[in-house]
Each structure stands twice: as C-alpha cells, then as structure tokens.
Amino acid sequence: MKNIAVLVYDLTVEYNIVVTDGITDFFKDKDDVHVIISTTSSPHNERFQYEYQYWTAVELLKSKNIDAAIVITNTYFNSINLETLTKSLECLLPIPVISVSNPMALPGNHYTTVACDQAYDQIIEHLIKKHNKTKIAFMTAALTLSPESEEREKAFRAAMKKHGLEVNEDWIYDGDFTPKSAYDCFNERFKKGDKLPFEAILCANDYMAAGCVSIFDELGFSIPEDVLIFGFDNAEVATNCTPMLSTISQSVAMTGYKAAELAYDILCGKKVPEKAVIQSFPMFRQSCGCMPKTMKDKGYFDIDGNFVGADTVNMTGLQLFSNSINDMATIFHLLTMTDTVMHLHEFFNTVINNLNVVHIGMLAMCIYDEPIVLSPQEDFEMPDKARLIMLVDKDAKVQENYYEKGGIEFSPKEEILPGRLENFMRGNYFVLPIFLQSENYGYLICRFPTNNYPVYTIFLKLLVNSFVHSYVFSKKEEEKAILAEKNQNLNFESKTDELTKLFNRRGFYEYGQQLLDVSCAAGQTGSVFFCDLDGLKTINDTYGHEIGDLAIKTEAKVLRAAFRDSDLIGRLSGDEFGVVTPGLPPRKIEVIRERFKSINEEFSKAAKLPFILSISIGAVEFDSEHSDLKELLKAADKVLYEEKKIKHAKK
C-alpha cells in the first residue's frame, strides 16, 4: 500500500478544492493507495489567532507511514513565500516531494507547471485583430509575492513585445488575487466622469477581474463598450459574473491530476520527467464582447471562433455547495454538538450519530498524554507517545471507545495509527490537529467518500471543539472525584487562605507534597514555582492596606488564570505564592513568564487598580530524585532572588 500525503493551506477556497479534486481523481481507481489530505495553514502563522496550530500536522506526516508528499504550493503564498515554504518542508525528506505549479529547491523534487505564454500571445493577438485594441493594462498579484503572478506578468509583457506593443508602466497595477484589491485600486485612481486611459485590462486571476467589473460599473464604465476585461483561472466567479468573464483556463484540476501521476509513477519505480507542463488556453465570453450579453449559456468561444457549450466544458469551478439546502441543514444539525458540554461517554455516542449525517466512513481520534501548550513562535515537537481513544469505521463495522481503558498506545513518529494505515480501507483520508486556542491535544483522521470539502472542514472543526470541551470536562470530573475521595475527611477550611481562597501555607505543603509524590511515582517530572508580588510594601505605603489586599487577591486570580486547573497553587505568606505544576517542562517557563505580563495588565484593569501588577518568579524542575517540596521551594526562591536583582538593575 502506498501512502501519499497532500498538503494544502486550506480547503475552503475554490482553487484549492479543484486541485485537490484533481489529485483524488487520479487515485480513484488505484487499489494500492491511501491519500492523506492535510490542511496545514503555514508555520508560525499569526494572520488569524491560533491558525498556526494547523501546521502541527506536518510533524505527523513525517511518520514512517508516508511514502510521498504532494504540496499545492500556490495556496500558501498569501502568508509565506516559496523559499520559506521549501525550507519548512525539508523535514519531509527523504521521501519524494511533488509540488503543484512551482518547483521547490528540494532534492529529487518533481513538479507540475502551467504554461501561459501561448494563451497570452493569443489574447493580445485577439485584442488587436478582432477588437482593434492596443492600449492594454495589466493587474498583477505582486502584493502576494506569488511566483504565479510573476509568470503571468512576464508572459503578458512578452506577448505585448511580440505584437509590437509597448507596455505602459503606469498601466501595471498591483493586487493580491482578491476582488477587493482590484476594487480599491481603481476606486482610488478614478471617479465618475473620468475616461479610462486604457481600452482593455488583463488580470492575473478571475477574482481581481470580478473586482474590476464591480468598480468600473460603479464608476459608470460599460463593459465591454468602454473597457474589455480578462481574468485567469476560469473559476466559478467567471461565469457567475455579469457580464461573464473572458478568461484563461489553466486546467486547474489537471495540475493536481498530473502531480498525482508523478507521485504514483515515482513510487512504482518508473522514470519520470522533472516537470509536467500543462497548456492553458483562452476562453472568450461577454467581458470582451465575443459573446452577446443576452446569451445565458456558460460556455465560451475558443481561439478559432467555435462555441463550446457549458454542457461539454470541463469546468474548473466546482459546485462547492452543490445542494446548499441539505448542506446548511447538516451544518445546523452539527452545531447542536456545541450546545452542551458532555462527558466523553456521551460524546462517543453523539459522534456515531453525527457521522451518519455527514457520511464519514471512518473516524479515529488520537490524543497525547498531556496537552501541549504552543505559541506562534515555537516549533511543534511531536511527542513520542499518543493514544488511540476512539475508532469508528462503518465499513469495517467497528465502534470502539478505547478511552475508558486508557487508549491504545503507539508512537506517532513511527505510524499515524496503531497497526499502520495498511489495516484500513483504501481511500481519501483527512488529518486535522485537535486543538483549542494554544493547547494542542492530538489529532484526528477520517475517511470520506465525497469531495464536499467545505462541509467536512466545518464539521471536523465543530467536532474538534466539542471534543476538547468534553475531554477537559471529563478530566476535571475525574480529578474532582479522585480529590473528593482522598480528602473527604479533611477540613479544607483550615488549609485555605481566607483572603485569596487558595491553599494556605499548611494546605499547600501537604497537598503539594502529595501531588509531587503521585507525579514522581508515575514517572512524571514537572516544575515548582516560587512567586513574589513586586512592590507590595510600596503599594501599602502609597495606597493603603485595603488596596494592598486587593492587589494580593487580584494576583491570586492571575495565578489561577496563568496556570492549569490541574496545577496546585498556594499562598505561603503575605505576597509570596507557591505552585506545583506536574508535566510542565522547564522550556515552558518562559511561556508562563510572558503570559503573566498580559494577564497582569488585563486583571489589574478589571480590578480598577491604580497600577499594573507585576510578579517575579523562580522555577526549578522536580523529578523522583528531587521531590521534597520544601527544598524545591528554597531552590526556586534563590532563582527568584536572582530575577529580582536583574529587575532592580534595569531600573
């Protein structure tokens, strides 16, 4: 069995969907292939909050299960350039990496590419001979730094030169592949009553061409009477636009199909060319005047003037929501999963019911022993262990909840699922990290029979969020039960600090030592913190003890927010606190330190303190040989003292 990964930025954009569909189309009759699709976003991506978490899936694709990878490069260029993407994917070597539309500087890289020189040459000739237009503008997507945009502009310039036309640099406009970039560009440059200096404009994609149609219509320019417009891609927007766009078809699905063919032939030991070239071709419609505006057929006229009807066109524009009413009903049904926070027992049954609604054939959920807190700046490191806690496979008639028995342990560095993918039916699989905000819990894998990627994307994200809430709830309930059983005869009131409601010194030493003993017995390490509120004496002297007490209470809230519910926090004296954090490695201490800054500011403002709280921390690691809480706190206090010296030195 050949396991081939497909890396794509996301699967909510038409181009990405169509290329992916071309890839899966090639493999549909191959009985010896698993296709593992992963929407990865890009490394350290902060365009949208926590979007960087999707890149963690790349670490999973380094598994020894994966035999080759196909990367849809163009999908990443809104956030990173090709060089950065290439560098980030070096980790996949030595498996073959096949790229769609752009070569990558990786050993043995093969790629598909779309040749657009001939298409632009034909369009320029068409504009001159049929429409008598020589004043021609071009809209690039240079703002994205996309190699694709550069190639199209280069082809445009070459075509202009070939036909004896000079490129007017004032008529080269820069966009970013979005309709808004084109709309804003011309909205700033022209107003109603102006005359356009050019007679035609070629845009680097259909979305920018649609933006031109919109703004030119608002400015009172008629299309094609005042200006002819061409797009590129033959996306769905081209035929939904009014007037329908003349464009260039780059056979988007074929770029994926050919990439899949390259990957398969390489794994079969065949000798393949470094690149597979796909020819693009012009499609003449209403926006250049070749098709009457009254014509409703979404076909096109070819370069020879022959009409190709919509029923014979291999459209690249996929019906993303082919049955929108049913899709919306499905999504609404899935939203009910988030109505309540349930225990994992109930969650398992809910998942089974919802898989029948979405028609997912198989779903597996794997979690790590502890959630991994990840910031945008950090590189994700795949743990050595993961546990399969849930497996539903309708075709194999399997419905297993392994969570109750602790899960099936395996190494995700060796295999994506226990027993390797070979034990599962061939088909298209989808990989998605399980995360909520900065905490990464594991990943899920599912097999789906259709290409309705947007609905699957929405469903799986709802599923992930619902799972995390249920998982956290279940863990808390289990911890509560254990804590209640152990301490049912203890008088908590005598061990609780009245002001902060944290453990007092007595309670902290007792329960903190118990937590250390249990953690070390389980082979777990962690950290012990000694924390000191900065400047309490000055606060009391300046604002009074009432504000001082409020500062201490607020800092207690800050500590609760900064640490996990499973960590143990106590007030040792007036402005001193202790924290025991099982499972927190020393490398995470700086993350905690940075977290304090933002939380202190937020909570100080919420408490209406006349100043921003500040806290100094000292932290040391505990293990089975260093598990005495008093000694650990002394060591942490020394670290804190050094931090205080550094702070005072900076003042």
Side-chain angles (χ1 to χ4, degrees):
M1 186 66 72
K2 303 171 181 62
N3 298 318
I4 300 177
V6 176
L7 282 69
V8 56
Y9 187 94
D10 66 32
L11 276 173
T12 60
V13 177
E14 182 185 355
Y15 173 86
N16 306 358
I17 293 170
V18 175
V19 178
T20 304
D21 213 37
I23 294 170
T24 58
D25 186 54
F26 175 81
F27 291 120
K28 67 184 179 183
D29 59 350
K30 303 291 186 295
D31 294 328
D32 59 344
V33 173
H34 286 136
V35 179
I36 301 100
I37 301 167
S38 182
T39 54
T40 64
S41 182
S42 58
H44 313 296
N45 188 356
E46 296 185 69
R47 283 207 316 158
F48 300 102
Q49 203 170 24
Y50 307 115
E51 191 174 4
Y52 61 88
Q53 288 273 20
Y54 288 100
W55 187 258
T56 60
V58 175
E59 285 296 305
L60 184 64
L61 299 179
K62 289 164 56 178
S63 158
K64 294 179 181 178
N65 267 171
I66 304 300
D67 301 306
I70 299 172
V71 184
I72 308 177
T73 58
N74 292 342
T75 66
Y76 293 88
F77 294 148
N78 274 334
S79 58
I80 57 174
N81 58 34
L82 181 61
E83 182 181 0
T84 304
L85 177 64
T86 302
K87 187 72 177 175
S88 300
L89 293 177
E90 287 178 352
C91 63
L92 296 177
L93 298 174
I95 68 170
V97 177
I98 294 85
S99 50
V100 175
S101 294
N102 293 283
M104 304 182 79
L106 295 172
N109 171 242
H110 297 261
Y111 66 99
T112 62
T113 184
V114 176
C116 58
D117 300 73
Q118 177 178 294
Y120 274 113
D121 178 36
Q122 291 171 332
I123 286 177
I124 297 300
E125 183 177 21
H126 177 84
L127 287 172
I128 295 171
K129 292 184 176 179
K130 180 161 185 177
H131 299 292
N132 196 30
K133 306 296 184 187
T134 57
K135 297 178 179 179
I136 306 170
F138 189 83
M139 183 150 213
T140 77
L143 298 180
T144 65
L145 303 179
S146 164
E148 235 183 359
S149 173
E150 293 177 10
E151 289 172 9
R152 293 172 191 179
E153 182 182 352
K154 183 179 178 182
F156 163 75
R157 290 178 178 275
M160 291 283 282
K161 183 177 180 180
K162 178 179 176 180
H163 292 281
L165 299 181
E166 185 176 344
V167 174
N168 188 325
E169 298 300 330
D170 291 337
W171 299 347
I172 302 293
Y173 304 97
D174 293 333
D176 62 7
F177 282 136
T178 66
K180 186 177 184 302
S181 64
Y183 182 97
D184 290 344
C185 174
F186 293 109
N187 193 38
E188 292 170 1
R189 287 170 170 79
F190 302 105
K191 60 181 183 295
K192 279 192 174 183
D194 286 350
K195 180 176 173 58
L196 289 174
F198 48 82
E199 300 167 320
I201 181 167
L202 280 57
C203 300
N205 81 337
D206 291 330
Y207 289 100
M208 290 192 298
C212 288
V213 169
S214 179
I215 184 59
F216 290 162
D217 181 63
E218 286 186 25
L219 294 173
F221 303 123
S222 296
I223 303 166
E225 290 78 13
D226 295 326
V227 60
L228 280 60
I229 299 177
F230 278 84
F232 196 111
D233 283 339
N234 190 34
E236 189 173 11
V237 69
T239 51
N240 288 340
C241 199
T242 304
M244 286 189 280
L245 290 173
S246 297
T247 186
I248 294 174
S249 172
Q250 59 168 327
S251 302
V252 174
M254 187 57 66
T255 63
Y257 188 95
K258 286 294 185 181
E261 186 176 33
L262 285 172
Y264 187 77
D265 286 349
I266 289 170
L267 294 182
C268 289
K270 296 181 181 179
K271 187 175 181 179
V272 300
E274 181 184 6
K275 64 180 178 180
V277 180
I278 298 137
Q279 289 292 338
S280 58
F281 57 90
M283 309 172 80
F284 303 107
R285 294 193 179 107
Q286 294 170 346
S287 67
C288 73
C290 287
M291 182 189 291
K293 290 183 181 180
T294 54
M295 197 168 178
K296 302 300 182 184
D297 192 303
K298 294 185 177 182
Y300 68 95
F301 285 95
D302 66 18
I303 192 66
D304 297 318
N306 302 312
F307 184 73
V308 182
D311 57 338
T312 60
V313 177
N314 181 17
M315 299 293 288
T316 61
L318 212 61
Q319 284 299 114
L320 305 188
F321 291 91
S322 56
N323 191 343
S324 59
I325 294 177
N326 286 341
D327 287 335
M328 293 304 108
T330 298
I331 291 169
F332 179 78
H333 177 80
L334 298 176
L335 283 171
T336 61
M337 292 179 62
T338 63
D339 286 346
T340 58
V341 177
M342 63 193 84
H343 195 279
L344 279 178
H345 303 291
E346 303 168 84
F347 176 82
F348 178 69
N349 294 327
T350 303
V351 167
I352 292 173
N353 293 333
N354 278 290
L355 290 189
N356 293 327
V357 175
V358 190
H359 309 298
I360 285 180
M362 169 270 198
L363 175 72
M365 301 191 77
C366 306
I367 61 170
Y368 311 128
D369 286 345
E370 292 290 336
I372 299 171
V373 179
L374 189 68
S375 70
Q377 295 76 30
E378 292 179 289
D379 290 323
F380 178 78
E381 184 177 341
M382 180 64 68
D384 293 325
K385 291 189 303 181
R387 297 177 190 274
L388 174 66
I389 62 166
M390 186 180 297
L391 175 62
V392 181
D393 193 330
K394 291 190 290 185
D395 298 301
K397 295 181 173 54
V398 174
Q399 294 182 3
E400 292 291 345
N401 179 1
Y402 299 111
Y403 177 76
E404 305 302 327
K405 298 178 182 178
I408 299 177
E409 184 178 310
F410 68 100
S411 171
K413 293 181 178 179
E414 297 291 324
E415 51 191 5
I416 294 178
L417 289 173
R420 305 178 67 83
L421 280 171
E422 280 75 359
N423 292 336
F424 296 89
M425 284 183 59
R426 67 158 299 278
N428 301 326
Y429 288 78
F430 191 91
V431 175
L432 186 71
I434 297 173
F435 69 90
L436 188 64
Q437 298 183 343
S438 62
E439 293 194 325
N440 194 300
Y441 293 82
Y443 58 90
L444 65 79
I445 297 179
C446 68
R447 182 178 68 245
F448 42 82
T450 73
N451 60 357
N452 204 353
Y453 306 118
V455 169
Y456 288 127
T457 299
I458 295 169
F459 165 71
L460 292 175
K461 188 54 186 168
L462 288 173
L463 181 70
V464 163
N465 289 353
S466 181
F467 168 77
V468 172
H469 289 306
S470 296
Y471 178 75
V472 172
F473 173 75
S474 298
K475 295 291 283 186
K476 285 183 178 179
E477 289 297 301
E478 291 167 11
E479 290 165 5
K480 281 181 184 178
I482 294 170
L483 193 60
E485 187 179 346
K486 284 184 177 181
N487 301 291
Q488 57 184 335
N489 297 319
L490 293 176
N491 183 356
F492 277 93
E493 188 175 342
S494 66
K495 297 167 186 175
T496 302
D497 176 60
E498 186 176 350
L499 179 64
T500 62
K501 307 305 177 187
L502 297 173
F503 284 118
N504 59 21
R505 187 180 187 89
R506 177 186 169 193
F508 178 74
Y509 274 105
E510 181 175 334
Y511 296 126
Q513 189 61 58
Q514 287 181 15
L515 184 57
L516 284 169
D517 293 343
V518 170
S519 299
C520 292
Q524 192 176 33
T525 62
S527 302
V528 171
F529 288 75
F530 194 102
C531 310
D532 183 11
L533 179 63
D534 294 332
L536 180 61
K537 183 178 184 306
T538 302
I539 292 171
N540 286 330
D541 292 344
T542 306
Y543 303 100
H545 287 276
E546 187 176 342
I547 295 296
D549 285 349
L550 179 59
I552 292 171
K553 288 171 65 176
T554 304
E555 196 56 52
K557 293 179 181 178
V558 169
L559 289 167
R560 287 195 189 97
F563 291 97
R564 303 164 298 184
D565 290 343
S566 57
D567 299 329
L568 192 140
I569 309 171
R571 184 185 178 197
L572 305 179
S573 64
D575 61 348
E576 295 176 339
F577 301 85
V579 188
V580 177
T581 60
L584 187 78
R587 61 188 176 82
K588 293 292 184 182
I589 291 171
E590 286 305 312
V591 176
I592 297 291
R593 198 186 302 275
E594 288 299 314
R595 192 180 298 172
F596 269 125
K597 293 179 183 178
S598 60
I599 299 176
N600 269 323
E601 182 174 354
E602 177 187 348
F603 282 40
S604 298
K605 291 178 180 177
K608 298 182 179 178
L609 290 170
F611 47 82
I612 301 299
L613 292 170
S614 172
I615 192 168
S616 297
I617 64 172
V620 294
E621 185 178 14
F622 73 77
D623 54 33
S624 57
E625 295 182 4
H626 304 87
S627 60
D628 184 281
L629 182 56
K630 290 183 180 180
E631 294 301 318
L632 289 165
L633 283 170
K634 286 181 183 178
D637 190 18
K638 289 181 181 179
V639 177
L640 181 145
Y641 177 74
E642 293 300 319
E643 179 177 330
K644 288 269 192 182
K645 283 172 59 178
I646 294 171
K647 281 188 176 181
H648 288 308
K650 290 181 178 179
K651 291 183 178 179

